[in-house]
Amino acid sequence: MDDWIDYYDSTHTIYVSKLHRDLHFQIIARDIIGYITSPEATVLDYACGEALSANQVAAACGKLILAEPAPGVRGRLIARFAPNTKIRVRSLDDVRKMQDQSVDLVVMNSVAQYMTGEELDAALLNIRRLLTRSGKLVLGDILQPQVGMFRDVIALLGFGLRHGFLKDALIGLISTALSDYRQLRSKIGLQRYSEDEITAKLKAAGFAVQRAHTNIGHNRWRMTFVARPPMVR
């Protein structure tokens, strides 16, 4: 995951325009809010990225913890959300030291593909420890083995067409093909999981799991799973 952390901590071109970037985070915030069941809930956004719309999520819960491994991004989060007393910014090391059963909802969106299988297993075990008995983990944007980059391209172009940045999307795809992202993706690759494989990982970490009807974000060819500690009888 370290190479990807370095990439996202750099001046990258993953978003084709400011509108694309802003809409991306607005839609993710909207989808996260849909999983919040109490205005008093403590929510952890695991490896949150820039989280530009975190104020919206914070307004829907009691406390929002933004956990981010990239130090440069983390510094921007601290500066951006300093006025909001409901938001706390933490490193992943900080998350590993958090109190047991202290979080009601954990969202890990568009993260698993950048982790090794062992890194994901360790993260899931820690999240299981952090969740309250009635809490849940939302594991989103899981890439499927049979769905390649072509579907990502189609998803981006469709997103651009619907929201008025199709031209920027086309230009951005050309830029991405020549960028460090493309080179890194070709060199390291992205982790992909079938529904059975990710279900098995979640069960091994102690969760009861089901696939959500829709994915977080705009890419309908990726998967989201909702995992909960098993009910104690």
Side-chain angles (χ1 to χ4, degrees):
M1 192 177 180
D2 289 345
D3 287 330
W4 286 114
I5 291 171
D6 290 342
Y7 172 78
Y8 280 103
D9 215 19
S10 67
T11 304
H12 59 77
T13 57
I14 195 70
Y15 304 110
V16 302
S17 66
K18 181 179 183 299
L19 178 59
H20 175 210
R21 183 196 65 180
D22 292 349
L23 285 169
H24 169 81
F25 285 108
Q26 288 170 19
I27 290 170
I28 288 174
R30 177 203 67 191
D31 292 348
I32 290 174
I33 289 168
Y35 285 102
I36 298 174
T37 57
S38 167
E40 288 80 39
T42 296
V43 177
L44 168 63
D45 190 347
Y46 189 103
C48 61
E50 296 285 352
L52 296 180
S53 296
N55 280 323
Q56 298 173 26
V57 179
C61 65
K63 181 167 68 172
L64 173 62
I65 301 167
L66 299 177
E68 171 54 39
V73 177
R74 198 161 60 243
R76 290 193 292 275
L77 291 170
I78 292 169
R80 183 180 302 131
F81 297 114
N84 193 327
T85 58
K86 296 174 80 174
I87 296 177
R88 298 288 184 271
V89 178
R90 298 289 184 263
S91 69
L92 296 190
D93 284 339
D94 294 331
V95 171
R96 285 187 278 270
K97 300 171 186 175
M98 287 173 56
Q99 183 179 346
D100 292 4
Q101 297 187 20
S102 59
V103 179
D104 300 293
L105 170 66
V106 178
V107 177
M108 182 191 284
N109 185 61
S110 200
V111 178
Q113 64 263 37
Y114 301 118
M115 308 174 85
T116 66
E118 293 76 16
E119 287 171 337
L120 178 57
D121 290 340
L124 293 176
L125 286 171
N126 189 49
I127 290 168
R128 173 69 178 83
R129 178 185 66 81
L130 293 176
L131 281 174
T132 62
R133 292 181 179 178
S134 60
K136 59 179 175 283
L137 161 66
V138 179
L139 183 62
D141 223 33
I142 300 297
L143 280 66
Q144 302 185 65
Q146 71 275 20
V147 179
M149 186 180 292
F150 176 74
R151 292 296 189 185
D152 289 344
V153 170
I154 295 300
L156 175 60
L157 293 177
F159 192 36
L161 180 62
R162 291 192 301 275
H163 294 282
F165 62 91
L166 178 59
K167 180 180 178 181
D168 288 331
L170 288 166
I171 295 171
L173 285 170
I174 296 171
S175 299
T176 299
L178 303 172
S179 70
D180 292 343
Y181 176 86
R182 176 65 173 146
Q183 295 173 26
L184 195 57
R185 183 165 173 165
S186 298
K187 176 184 175 183
I188 301 175
L190 298 174
Q191 293 293 321
R192 297 173 181 273
Y193 298 98
S194 68
E195 184 171 346
D196 288 345
E197 287 170 338
I198 203 68
T199 296
K201 275 189 172 293
L202 287 163
K203 287 184 175 180
F207 289 102
V209 56
Q210 64 183 34
R211 182 175 173 180
H213 295 298
T214 57
N215 184 39
I216 291 180
H218 73 276
N219 193 329
R220 64 187 178 89
W221 285 289
R222 298 185 180 186
M223 302 180 291
T224 289
F225 295 83
V226 179
R228 295 178 172 86
M231 296 296 292
V232 178
R233 296 183 179 180

